[in-house]
Amino acid sequence: MRIFLAVFPPPESQALALACAARVREAAGAAAGHVSWVKLENLHYTLKFLGELGEDGARRAGDAALEAADSLAAFGLALGAAGAFPNARQARVLWIGCEHGAAEFVELARRVDAALAKRGFDREQRPFSPHLTIGRVRESRHDWTAALAAAPPLAGETAARFRVSEVRVMKSTLSPQGSIYETLAAARLK
């Protein structure tokens, strides 16, 4: 099973993020055809991708999520501006960042990583940067600067603000129609 730990925004926040992605897509013109756009129900913040695991690995991931969530209070988050990794000129991933709540989110990711490490998983080597992936660029010859700038600011929208109150352990199944996600476990923040 392909397993990852994630935070999913509520449906109204996902819809707002999808509308933002549509503006980026529209502004990108023909280059938008070289992007695998994330479906509405799959919009999430990845805390940690664990890869292929068996039943025991998925159980240990669930235990780690429970430990990490139990040690941190729920917190507010607001969707922010659109951006790209590694940058707009050489984009491989298009995303929406956080306007508020990033420090708390980084702390949640740190606690998840520590709890996973106790259970035999490798520590994350890269610093955590909270972002909601909206698309994966298959061909990076396009400069996305103007398309990303066309995305409306989201922080002022009511739907941009939500509480992070749960960490989910997700199973991802690849299909020709895109990834299909299934929640295996959920851990509530205190």
Side-chain angles (χ1 to χ4, degrees):
M1 297 180 284
R2 286 169 48 93
I3 303 294
F4 65 95
L5 282 80
V7 168
F8 280 76
E12 58 274 12
S13 300
Q14 287 176 314
L16 182 62
L18 191 68
C20 179
R23 291 287 299 274
V24 172
R25 188 177 190 163
E26 182 181 300
H34 300 286
V35 176
S36 175
W37 298 95
V38 178
K39 298 183 290 189
L40 174 71
E41 64 273 14
N42 287 358
L43 289 167
H44 69 276
Y45 292 91
T46 302
L47 285 164
K48 179 90 171 183
F49 179 76
L50 298 174
E52 289 291 332
L53 299 177
E55 293 292 331
D56 180 62
R59 181 194 53 74
R60 289 183 292 127
D63 291 346
L66 286 169
E67 179 184 326
D70 189 49
S71 66
L72 191 66
F75 58 92
L77 190 73
L79 298 174
F85 290 135
N87 58 57
R89 292 178 186 261
Q90 300 165 335
R92 298 300 303 156
V93 175
L94 305 175
W95 47 261
I96 297 172
C98 295
E99 181 70 22
H100 302 289
E104 293 89 343
F105 217 149
V106 169
E107 179 60 18
L108 174 59
R110 187 194 68 72
R111 290 179 189 219
V112 165
D113 196 46
L116 286 166
K118 282 189 203 175
R119 289 159 177 83
F121 292 98
D122 291 338
R123 290 283 249 192
E124 185 59 52
Q125 299 303 308
R126 297 172 292 180
F128 180 74
S129 175
H131 64 280
L132 189 72
T133 298
I134 57 174
R136 291 175 181 79
V137 181
R138 295 186 302 260
E139 205 174 281
S140 62
R141 291 184 284 186
H142 180 73
D143 181 349
W144 287 86
T145 304
L148 292 169
L154 301 178
E157 299 285 334
T158 301
R161 294 183 299 279
F162 62 95
R163 303 264 317 145
V164 173
S165 59
E166 179 181 76
V167 173
R168 295 187 197 177
V169 179
M170 304 298 297
K171 174 183 171 185
S172 174
T173 304
L174 301 178
S175 80
Q177 294 77 32
S179 296
I180 300 167
Y181 295 158
E182 175 187 347
T183 302
L184 298 181
R188 305 253 337 138
L189 277 68
K190 59 179 190 161

